[in-house]
Short mmCIF file of all heavy atoms in Angstrom, two decimals:
data_model
loop_
_atom_site.label_atom_id
_atom_site.label_comp_id
_atom_site.label_asym_id
_atom_site.label_seq_id
_atom_site.Cartn_x
_atom_site.Cartn_y
_atom_site.Cartn_z
N ILE A 1466 23.93 -43.39 36.83
CA ILE A 1466 22.58 -43.33 36.27
C ILE A 1466 21.80 -42.15 36.84
O ILE A 1466 20.95 -41.56 36.17
CB ILE A 1466 21.83 -44.66 36.52
CG1 ILE A 1466 20.53 -44.68 35.72
CG2 ILE A 1466 21.58 -44.89 37.98
CD1 ILE A 1466 19.87 -46.04 35.74
N ARG A 1467 22.11 -41.75 38.09
CA ARG A 1467 21.39 -40.63 38.68
C ARG A 1467 21.70 -39.32 37.95
O ARG A 1467 20.81 -38.51 37.70
CB ARG A 1467 21.77 -40.50 40.16
CG ARG A 1467 20.96 -39.44 40.89
CD ARG A 1467 21.35 -39.42 42.36
NE ARG A 1467 22.76 -39.16 42.54
CZ ARG A 1467 23.29 -37.93 42.52
NH1 ARG A 1467 22.54 -36.88 42.29
NH2 ARG A 1467 24.57 -37.76 42.72
N VAL A 1469 22.78 -39.03 34.81
CA VAL A 1469 22.19 -39.10 33.46
C VAL A 1469 20.70 -38.82 33.53
O VAL A 1469 20.15 -38.05 32.73
CB VAL A 1469 22.46 -40.49 32.85
CG1 VAL A 1469 21.70 -40.63 31.53
CG2 VAL A 1469 23.95 -40.70 32.63
N TYR A 1470 20.04 -39.44 34.51
CA TYR A 1470 18.60 -39.21 34.66
C TYR A 1470 18.30 -37.74 34.95
O TYR A 1470 17.36 -37.16 34.40
CB TYR A 1470 18.05 -40.08 35.80
CG TYR A 1470 16.69 -39.64 36.27
CD1 TYR A 1470 15.56 -39.90 35.52
CD2 TYR A 1470 16.56 -38.93 37.47
CE1 TYR A 1470 14.31 -39.48 35.94
CE2 TYR A 1470 15.31 -38.49 37.89
CZ TYR A 1470 14.20 -38.78 37.12
OH TYR A 1470 12.99 -38.36 37.54
N GLY A 1471 19.12 -37.12 35.81
CA GLY A 1471 18.90 -35.72 36.14
C GLY A 1471 18.99 -34.82 34.93
O GLY A 1471 18.19 -33.90 34.75
N TRP A 1473 18.52 -35.71 31.72
CA TRP A 1473 17.39 -35.97 30.84
C TRP A 1473 16.09 -35.41 31.41
O TRP A 1473 15.22 -34.92 30.68
CB TRP A 1473 17.26 -37.47 30.58
CG TRP A 1473 18.16 -37.96 29.50
CD1 TRP A 1473 19.27 -38.74 29.65
CD2 TRP A 1473 18.05 -37.70 28.10
NE1 TRP A 1473 19.86 -38.97 28.43
CE2 TRP A 1473 19.13 -38.35 27.46
CE3 TRP A 1473 17.16 -36.97 27.32
CZ2 TRP A 1473 19.33 -38.30 26.09
CZ3 TRP A 1473 17.36 -36.92 25.94
CH2 TRP A 1473 18.43 -37.58 25.35
N THR A 1474 15.94 -35.48 32.74
CA THR A 1474 14.74 -34.93 33.37
C THR A 1474 14.66 -33.42 33.15
O THR A 1474 13.61 -32.88 32.80
CB THR A 1474 14.74 -35.24 34.88
OG1 THR A 1474 14.71 -36.66 35.06
CG2 THR A 1474 13.54 -34.62 35.57
N TRP A 1475 15.78 -32.75 33.36
CA TRP A 1475 15.80 -31.29 33.16
C TRP A 1475 15.44 -30.95 31.72
O TRP A 1475 14.61 -30.09 31.45
CB TRP A 1475 17.18 -30.73 33.50
CG TRP A 1475 17.27 -29.25 33.27
CD1 TRP A 1475 16.93 -28.26 34.15
CD2 TRP A 1475 17.71 -28.60 32.07
NE1 TRP A 1475 17.12 -27.03 33.58
CE2 TRP A 1475 17.60 -27.20 32.30
CE3 TRP A 1475 18.17 -29.05 30.85
CZ2 TRP A 1475 17.95 -26.27 31.34
CZ3 TRP A 1475 18.52 -28.12 29.88
CH2 TRP A 1475 18.41 -26.74 30.12
N HIS A 1478 11.75 -31.60 30.94
CA HIS A 1478 10.83 -30.61 31.49
C HIS A 1478 10.87 -29.29 30.71
O HIS A 1478 9.91 -28.52 30.78
CB HIS A 1478 11.15 -30.36 32.96
CG HIS A 1478 10.70 -31.47 33.85
ND1 HIS A 1478 11.06 -31.56 35.17
CD2 HIS A 1478 9.91 -32.55 33.61
CE1 HIS A 1478 10.51 -32.63 35.71
NE2 HIS A 1478 9.82 -33.25 34.79
N LEU A 1483 4.17 -32.05 31.47
CA LEU A 1483 4.07 -33.09 32.48
C LEU A 1483 3.08 -34.15 32.03
O LEU A 1483 2.06 -33.86 31.41
CB LEU A 1483 3.61 -32.49 33.81
CG LEU A 1483 4.59 -31.51 34.47
CD1 LEU A 1483 3.91 -30.80 35.62
CD2 LEU A 1483 5.84 -32.24 34.95
N ARG A 1484 3.39 -35.42 32.35
CA ARG A 1484 2.55 -36.53 31.91
C ARG A 1484 2.38 -37.50 33.08
O ARG A 1484 3.34 -37.85 33.76
CB ARG A 1484 3.22 -37.25 30.73
CG ARG A 1484 2.41 -38.36 30.10
CD ARG A 1484 1.18 -37.82 29.40
NE ARG A 1484 1.49 -36.86 28.34
CZ ARG A 1484 0.56 -36.21 27.65
NH1 ARG A 1484 -0.71 -36.41 27.91
NH2 ARG A 1484 0.91 -35.34 26.71
N CYS A 1485 1.14 -37.90 33.34
CA CYS A 1485 0.86 -38.81 34.45
C CYS A 1485 1.56 -40.14 34.23
O CYS A 1485 1.40 -40.78 33.19
CB CYS A 1485 -0.65 -39.02 34.58
SG CYS A 1485 -1.12 -40.10 35.95
N LEU A 1486 2.33 -40.58 35.22
CA LEU A 1486 3.05 -41.84 35.12
C LEU A 1486 2.13 -43.05 35.24
O LEU A 1486 2.54 -44.17 34.96
CB LEU A 1486 4.12 -41.92 36.21
CG LEU A 1486 5.25 -40.89 36.14
CD1 LEU A 1486 6.25 -41.14 37.26
CD2 LEU A 1486 5.95 -40.94 34.79
N LEU A 1487 0.89 -42.81 35.66
CA LEU A 1487 -0.04 -43.93 35.83
C LEU A 1487 -0.97 -44.12 34.64
O LEU A 1487 -1.25 -45.25 34.24
CB LEU A 1487 -0.87 -43.72 37.10
CG LEU A 1487 -0.07 -43.69 38.41
CD1 LEU A 1487 -0.98 -43.36 39.57
CD2 LEU A 1487 0.64 -45.01 38.65
N GLY A 1495 2.25 -29.43 38.93
CA GLY A 1495 3.69 -29.61 38.90
C GLY A 1495 4.17 -31.04 39.06
O GLY A 1495 5.36 -31.28 39.27
N LEU A 1496 3.28 -32.00 38.94
CA LEU A 1496 3.61 -33.41 39.13
C LEU A 1496 3.40 -34.21 37.85
O LEU A 1496 2.55 -33.85 37.04
CB LEU A 1496 2.75 -34.03 40.24
CG LEU A 1496 2.79 -33.41 41.63
CD1 LEU A 1496 1.75 -34.07 42.52
CD2 LEU A 1496 4.18 -33.53 42.23
N ASP A 1497 4.14 -35.29 37.73
CA ASP A 1497 3.87 -36.26 36.67
C ASP A 1497 2.75 -37.19 37.14
O ASP A 1497 2.89 -38.42 37.20
CB ASP A 1497 5.13 -37.05 36.31
CG ASP A 1497 6.09 -36.24 35.47
OD1 ASP A 1497 5.63 -35.58 34.53
OD2 ASP A 1497 7.30 -36.24 35.76
N LEU A 1498 1.62 -36.59 37.48
CA LEU A 1498 0.46 -37.30 38.01
C LEU A 1498 -0.76 -36.42 37.76
O LEU A 1498 -0.74 -35.22 38.05
CB LEU A 1498 0.63 -37.54 39.52
CG LEU A 1498 -0.38 -38.46 40.19
CD1 LEU A 1498 -0.15 -39.91 39.77
CD2 LEU A 1498 -0.28 -38.35 41.71
N GLY A 1554 3.00 -50.26 42.66
CA GLY A 1554 3.55 -50.37 41.31
C GLY A 1554 4.62 -49.33 41.04
O GLY A 1554 5.66 -49.62 40.43
N LEU A 1555 4.39 -48.10 41.49
CA LEU A 1555 5.40 -47.05 41.32
C LEU A 1555 6.68 -47.41 42.06
O LEU A 1555 7.79 -47.19 41.56
CB LEU A 1555 4.87 -45.72 41.84
CG LEU A 1555 3.82 -45.02 40.98
CD1 LEU A 1555 3.23 -43.83 41.72
CD2 LEU A 1555 4.42 -44.57 39.64
N LEU A 1556 6.55 -47.96 43.26
CA LEU A 1556 7.74 -48.34 44.03
C LEU A 1556 8.51 -49.47 43.36
O LEU A 1556 9.74 -49.48 43.33
CB LEU A 1556 7.34 -48.74 45.45
CG LEU A 1556 7.09 -47.57 46.39
CD1 LEU A 1556 6.30 -48.01 47.62
CD2 LEU A 1556 8.40 -46.92 46.80
N ARG A 1558 8.57 -50.09 40.12
CA ARG A 1558 9.21 -49.48 38.95
C ARG A 1558 10.48 -48.73 39.36
O ARG A 1558 11.52 -48.80 38.70
CB ARG A 1558 8.23 -48.53 38.25
CG ARG A 1558 7.13 -49.23 37.49
CD ARG A 1558 5.98 -48.32 37.15
NE ARG A 1558 6.37 -47.12 36.42
CZ ARG A 1558 5.51 -46.22 35.96
NH1 ARG A 1558 4.21 -46.38 36.19
NH2 ARG A 1558 5.93 -45.17 35.29
N PHE A 1559 10.38 -47.99 40.45
CA PHE A 1559 11.50 -47.20 40.96
C PHE A 1559 12.63 -48.09 41.45
O PHE A 1559 13.81 -47.88 41.12
CB PHE A 1559 10.97 -46.31 42.08
CG PHE A 1559 12.00 -45.56 42.87
CD1 PHE A 1559 13.06 -44.92 42.25
CD2 PHE A 1559 11.90 -45.47 44.25
CE1 PHE A 1559 14.01 -44.23 42.99
CE2 PHE A 1559 12.83 -44.77 44.99
CZ PHE A 1559 13.89 -44.16 44.36
N LYS A 1560 12.29 -49.11 42.22
CA LYS A 1560 13.30 -49.91 42.91
C LYS A 1560 13.96 -50.94 42.01
O LYS A 1560 15.17 -51.18 42.12
CB LYS A 1560 12.65 -50.60 44.11
CG LYS A 1560 13.61 -51.29 45.05
CD LYS A 1560 12.88 -51.71 46.32
CE LYS A 1560 13.81 -52.36 47.34
NZ LYS A 1560 13.09 -52.68 48.59
N HIS A 1562 13.28 -51.35 38.34
CA HIS A 1562 13.26 -51.16 36.89
C HIS A 1562 13.86 -49.82 36.45
O HIS A 1562 13.54 -49.32 35.37
CB HIS A 1562 11.83 -51.30 36.36
CG HIS A 1562 11.23 -52.64 36.66
ND1 HIS A 1562 11.62 -53.80 36.02
CD2 HIS A 1562 10.27 -53.01 37.56
CE1 HIS A 1562 10.93 -54.82 36.50
NE2 HIS A 1562 10.11 -54.37 37.44
N HIS A 1563 14.70 -49.24 37.31
CA HIS A 1563 15.43 -48.02 36.96
C HIS A 1563 14.52 -46.86 36.56
O HIS A 1563 14.91 -46.00 35.77
CB HIS A 1563 16.44 -48.29 35.83
CG HIS A 1563 17.52 -49.23 36.22
ND1 HIS A 1563 17.37 -50.59 36.12
CD2 HIS A 1563 18.76 -49.02 36.73
CE1 HIS A 1563 18.49 -51.18 36.53
NE2 HIS A 1563 19.34 -50.26 36.92
N ASP A 1564 13.31 -46.83 37.10
CA ASP A 1564 12.38 -45.76 36.78
C ASP A 1564 12.54 -44.65 37.81
O ASP A 1564 11.77 -44.53 38.77
CB ASP A 1564 10.95 -46.28 36.75
CG ASP A 1564 9.97 -45.28 36.17
OD1 ASP A 1564 10.33 -44.09 36.09
OD2 ASP A 1564 8.85 -45.68 35.80
N LEU A 1565 13.56 -43.80 37.60
CA LEU A 1565 13.83 -42.73 38.55
C LEU A 1565 12.77 -41.64 38.50
O LEU A 1565 12.62 -40.87 39.45
CB LEU A 1565 15.22 -42.16 38.30
CG LEU A 1565 16.38 -43.13 38.59
CD1 LEU A 1565 17.71 -42.49 38.26
CD2 LEU A 1565 16.36 -43.61 40.02
N ALA A 1566 12.03 -41.56 37.41
CA ALA A 1566 10.91 -40.62 37.36
C ALA A 1566 9.86 -40.99 38.41
O ALA A 1566 9.25 -40.12 39.04
CB ALA A 1566 10.29 -40.59 35.97
N ALA A 1567 9.63 -42.29 38.60
CA ALA A 1567 8.69 -42.74 39.63
C ALA A 1567 9.20 -42.35 41.01
O ALA A 1567 8.43 -41.92 41.88
CB ALA A 1567 8.48 -44.25 39.54
N GLY A 1568 10.51 -42.48 41.24
CA GLY A 1568 11.08 -42.09 42.53
C GLY A 1568 10.94 -40.60 42.78
O GLY A 1568 10.63 -40.16 43.90
N ARG A 1569 11.17 -39.81 41.74
CA ARG A 1569 11.02 -38.36 41.88
C ARG A 1569 9.58 -38.00 42.25
O ARG A 1569 9.35 -37.17 43.14
CB ARG A 1569 11.41 -37.67 40.57
CG ARG A 1569 11.20 -36.17 40.56
CD ARG A 1569 11.70 -35.57 39.24
NE ARG A 1569 11.38 -34.17 39.14
CZ ARG A 1569 10.25 -33.68 38.66
NH1 ARG A 1569 9.31 -34.51 38.21
NH2 ARG A 1569 10.04 -32.38 38.62
N LEU A 1570 8.62 -38.63 41.60
CA LEU A 1570 7.22 -38.37 41.91
C LEU A 1570 6.91 -38.77 43.35
O LEU A 1570 6.24 -38.03 44.09
CB LEU A 1570 6.32 -39.13 40.94
CG LEU A 1570 4.82 -39.10 41.25
CD1 LEU A 1570 4.28 -37.67 41.22
CD2 LEU A 1570 4.06 -39.99 40.27
N LEU A 1571 7.39 -39.92 43.79
CA LEU A 1571 7.11 -40.38 45.15
C LEU A 1571 7.68 -39.43 46.19
O LEU A 1571 7.04 -39.16 47.21
CB LEU A 1571 7.66 -41.80 45.34
CG LEU A 1571 6.92 -42.89 44.56
CD1 LEU A 1571 7.72 -44.19 44.57
CD2 LEU A 1571 5.52 -43.12 45.13
N SER A 1572 8.88 -38.91 45.97
CA SER A 1572 9.44 -37.96 46.93
C SER A 1572 8.61 -36.67 46.95
O SER A 1572 8.40 -36.08 48.02
CB SER A 1572 10.91 -37.66 46.61
OG SER A 1572 11.04 -36.98 45.38
N GLN A 1573 8.13 -36.23 45.79
CA GLN A 1573 7.27 -35.04 45.75
C GLN A 1573 5.98 -35.28 46.54
O GLN A 1573 5.49 -34.39 47.24
CB GLN A 1573 6.94 -34.68 44.31
CG GLN A 1573 8.13 -34.14 43.52
CD GLN A 1573 7.77 -33.95 42.06
OE1 GLN A 1573 7.15 -34.80 41.43
NE2 GLN A 1573 8.17 -32.81 41.51
N LEU A 1574 5.43 -36.47 46.42
CA LEU A 1574 4.21 -36.79 47.15
C LEU A 1574 4.46 -36.91 48.65
O LEU A 1574 3.61 -36.53 49.47
CB LEU A 1574 3.60 -38.09 46.61
CG LEU A 1574 3.06 -38.00 45.17
CD1 LEU A 1574 2.72 -39.38 44.64
CD2 LEU A 1574 1.84 -37.08 45.10
N TYR A 1602 21.99 -47.19 41.75
CA TYR A 1602 21.53 -46.10 42.61
C TYR A 1602 20.90 -46.70 43.85
O TYR A 1602 20.52 -47.87 43.88
CB TYR A 1602 20.52 -45.21 41.88
CG TYR A 1602 19.27 -45.93 41.42
CD1 TYR A 1602 18.12 -45.93 42.20
CD2 TYR A 1602 19.24 -46.61 40.22
CE1 TYR A 1602 16.98 -46.61 41.79
CE2 TYR A 1602 18.11 -47.29 39.80
CZ TYR A 1602 16.98 -47.28 40.59
OH TYR A 1602 15.86 -47.95 40.18
N GLU A 1607 17.74 -41.68 46.92
CA GLU A 1607 17.04 -40.91 45.90
C GLU A 1607 15.73 -40.32 46.42
O GLU A 1607 15.26 -39.31 45.88
CB GLU A 1607 16.78 -41.78 44.67
CG GLU A 1607 18.04 -42.21 43.94
CD GLU A 1607 18.92 -41.04 43.55
OE1 GLU A 1607 18.38 -40.06 42.98
OE2 GLU A 1607 20.12 -41.08 43.82
N LEU A 1608 15.14 -40.93 47.45
CA LEU A 1608 13.99 -40.33 48.11
C LEU A 1608 14.42 -39.24 49.09
O LEU A 1608 13.82 -38.16 49.15
CB LEU A 1608 13.19 -41.40 48.86
CG LEU A 1608 12.40 -42.40 48.04
CD1 LEU A 1608 11.78 -43.46 48.97
CD2 LEU A 1608 11.30 -41.74 47.21
N PRO A 1611 15.98 -35.27 47.74
CA PRO A 1611 15.07 -34.14 47.47
C PRO A 1611 14.24 -33.74 48.68
O PRO A 1611 13.85 -32.57 48.80
CB PRO A 1611 14.20 -34.65 46.32
CG PRO A 1611 14.31 -36.13 46.35
CD PRO A 1611 15.67 -36.43 46.88
#
Side-chain angles (χ1 to χ4, degrees):
I1466 190 170
R1467 186 177 59 81
V1469 173
Y1470 164 75
W1473 277 108
T1474 298
W1475 178 86
H1478 285 169
L1483 294 169
R1484 185 67 59 184
C1485 181
L1486 297 182
L1487 297 175
L1496 302 173
D1497 283 315
L1498 190 71
L1555 286 171
L1556 280 163
R1558 287 164 55 176
F1559 171 44
K1560 189 170 183 176
H1562 301 289
H1563 295 87
D1564 191 342
L1565 294 178
R1569 175 177 174 272
L1570 173 61
L1571 290 167
S1572 67
Q1573 291 174 315
L1574 293 170
Y1602 60 95
E1607 294 305 312
L1608 289 175

